[in-house]
Amino acid sequence: MTEKSYDTTPRRPRVVISGGGTGGHIFPALSIADALRRRLDADILFVGAENRMEMTRVPEAGYEIIGLPVAGFDRKRLWRNISVLFKLFRSLRKSRKIISDFKPDIAIGVGGYASGPTLKAAQRAGIPTLLQEQNSYAGVTNKLLGEKAGKICVAYDGMERFFPADRIVKTGNPIRKALLSYSKSVKEAREAFGLDPERPVLLVVGGSLGALTLNESMEKGIKRIADKGIQVIWQTGKNFGDRGPAAARGIKGVVVTPFISDMASAYRAADLVVGRAGAGSISELQVLGKPVILVPSPNVAEDHQTHNARALSERGAAVLVTDAEARDILVDTAIGLIGDKKKLADMQACILEMGIADSDERIADEVCTLLNKKQ
């Protein structure tokens, strides 16, 4: 890290926010930062992982960030973890220097590779820490950090099986403000995609890279969906190449795109959503009240997406289709569900009950509580 001198004169609260790796970690982190800037005019420093997306997204949002050389453990090829351990050692050492130089009043961890070394260094220095656990099944790093965390902000019930019950606060996960402020009608949203405002719409979203299982399910069944009078907005991600447009060629009422820049319009246009079960996406669907078929990714730590999906499906707020069975049943499940208006209405009511629209402010409340205790 480049040597840097920070002004240590007592003034604005100093906050370190650490984590990232995916949009599901970065968007909540930025929402929390914005809330603390509004509330406290806080001096905020982000700590992320080198060469991950936070190193560009955070500066674009107007915040300073320092990168750590940390990387995730390879659970399949254990011999590769020798270099991972070396990077972890370097990251712990660099984190100690960041904490020493910046002298934060509090450190916040939002998940991701960098949060472990950063919050461990803060805890060793006696700095109050707050964890934001986004999933219904806590990861190993957060479980270890939770033993000394002052507050653990969660999005699901039953998290006392992972953390000390007296420090858990249910705040939900912050979502993008643009989704909350969207004011166009369903008709306007559908017309923005060139779709018929009177016909139902299925939205399929697999993330920026795409989800191969979802894409191949749609590739196989897109004509059957269209033949039922259902329109489709299909985000393929960049890794699916031209296969999506090729499958939909000549079929009316199908929009295929590698990336949706206006997710607020896409959500508003949709009667039903199909997607993975990442915590950030689920939180958006909860607040917006969107019925959803969740297909958890099998390639995540602790299989947390399956736990997330079950937390909704067991309450009637979503339908769970496993990755293994999706290619065989996903399309038929979507067709049947989008034609069942009562089922959709029941799911909408259930998922809305789980939504928390002011999560960023609730987390800011807990930060203020810890800062007041410190003072």
Side-chain angles (χ1 to χ4, degrees):
M1 183 180 79
T2 303
E3 290 293 326
K4 189 160 189 174
S5 175
Y6 291 99
D7 178 11
T8 58
T9 305
R11 49 186 178 88
R12 299 183 295 162
R14 295 176 179 272
V15 180
V16 161
I17 301 178
S18 185
T22 67
H25 289 132
I26 297 167
F27 292 136
L30 291 172
S31 293
I32 294 167
D34 290 344
L36 292 174
R37 184 176 276 180
R38 289 192 304 269
R39 183 87 66 91
L40 303 172
D41 190 28
D43 187 4
I44 297 169
L45 174 66
F46 279 79
V47 180
E50 291 176 355
N51 302 316
R52 303 291 288 189
M53 62 188 297
E54 59 264 28
M55 300 307 296
T56 55
R57 294 291 180 86
V58 169
E60 287 172 357
Y63 294 98
E64 180 184 359
I65 186 168
I66 297 173
L68 301 180
V70 66
F73 282 94
D74 192 327
R75 290 173 169 81
K76 295 181 180 179
R77 293 162 291 191
L78 297 179
W79 66 90
R80 294 193 173 187
N81 290 323
I82 295 174
S83 64
V84 173
L85 289 171
F86 179 67
K87 290 178 180 179
L88 177 60
F89 173 76
R90 289 175 55 209
S91 296
L92 284 166
R93 187 172 59 187
K94 190 170 182 178
S95 294
R96 288 195 293 269
K97 179 161 179 53
I98 292 170
I99 296 298
S100 175
D101 288 348
F102 187 65
K103 296 179 172 56
D105 298 295
I106 189 169
I108 300 169
V110 297
Y113 301 144
S115 63
T118 307
L119 265 72
K120 177 58 69 176
Q123 289 177 345
R124 286 178 175 172
I127 306 297
T129 57
L130 179 145
L131 300 180
Q132 202 246 328
E133 175 54 64
Q134 300 166 3
N135 296 294
S136 65
Y137 193 91
V140 173
T141 300
N142 270 358
K143 282 188 280 189
L144 293 172
L145 293 170
E147 297 176 5
K148 293 184 178 180
K151 293 284 183 180
I152 301 113
C153 296
V154 303
Y156 293 90
D157 296 323
M159 299 301 287
E160 59 275 2
R161 58 194 167 132
F162 304 113
F163 303 116
D166 61 338
R167 280 173 266 165
I168 295 173
V169 185
K170 188 176 179 182
T171 60
N173 293 322
I175 70 169
R176 291 172 279 187
K177 290 296 184 185
L179 300 179
L180 295 173
S181 60
Y182 187 78
S183 60
K184 291 183 181 178
S185 66
V186 173
K187 178 178 182 293
E188 290 171 321
R190 289 179 179 174
E191 288 176 343
F193 284 94
L195 299 175
D196 184 341
E198 302 303 322
R199 290 168 53 205
V201 174
L202 174 68
L203 170 64
V204 182
V205 186
S208 59
L209 297 180
L212 185 61
T213 300
L214 302 188
N215 285 335
E216 291 188 342
S217 298
M218 292 301 297
E219 184 180 43
K220 179 181 176 182
I222 189 66
K223 188 174 186 306
R224 278 195 296 127
I225 296 172
D227 286 345
K228 295 293 183 179
I230 300 167
Q231 302 177 106
V232 180
I233 302 171
W234 176 12
Q235 178 185 323
T236 63
K238 66 180 184 180
N239 288 347
F240 204 55
D242 295 328
R243 289 172 63 179
R249 188 171 295 123
I251 303 176
K252 291 184 178 180
V254 177
V255 177
V256 183
T257 177
F259 180 73
I260 299 174
S261 58
D262 185 3
M263 278 305 301
S265 288
Y267 279 138
R268 182 61 57 87
D271 294 280
L272 176 66
V273 180
V274 173
R276 291 303 200 185
S281 298
I282 286 178
S283 294
E284 292 177 350
L285 294 165
Q286 288 172 334
V287 171
L288 298 175
K290 284 295 171 181
V292 60
I293 299 174
L294 295 172
V295 186
S297 170
N299 305 311
V300 294
E302 284 88 35
D303 196 23
H304 67 251
Q305 286 204 7
T306 296
H307 293 282
N308 292 347
R310 283 179 181 157
L312 272 70
S313 63
E314 289 172 357
R315 294 181 58 168
V319 170
L320 192 163
V321 172
T322 68
D323 191 84
E325 64 186 356
R327 289 176 176 85
D328 295 324
I329 71 169
L330 178 59
V331 166
D332 288 334
T333 302
I335 290 172
L337 187 53
I338 209 167
D340 189 339
K341 302 303 181 186
K342 183 181 185 305
K343 176 67 172 176
L344 287 179
D346 290 343
M347 289 174 64
Q348 181 179 40
C350 290
I351 199 168
L352 268 173
E353 287 180 358
M354 301 180 74
I356 299 176
D358 61 343
S359 297
D360 54 346
E361 295 296 340
R362 295 188 185 203
I363 294 170
D365 287 341
E366 300 307 320
V367 171
C368 290
T369 297
L370 290 177
L371 290 174
N372 289 336
K373 282 183 179 180
K374 182 185 178 186
Q375 292 172 357

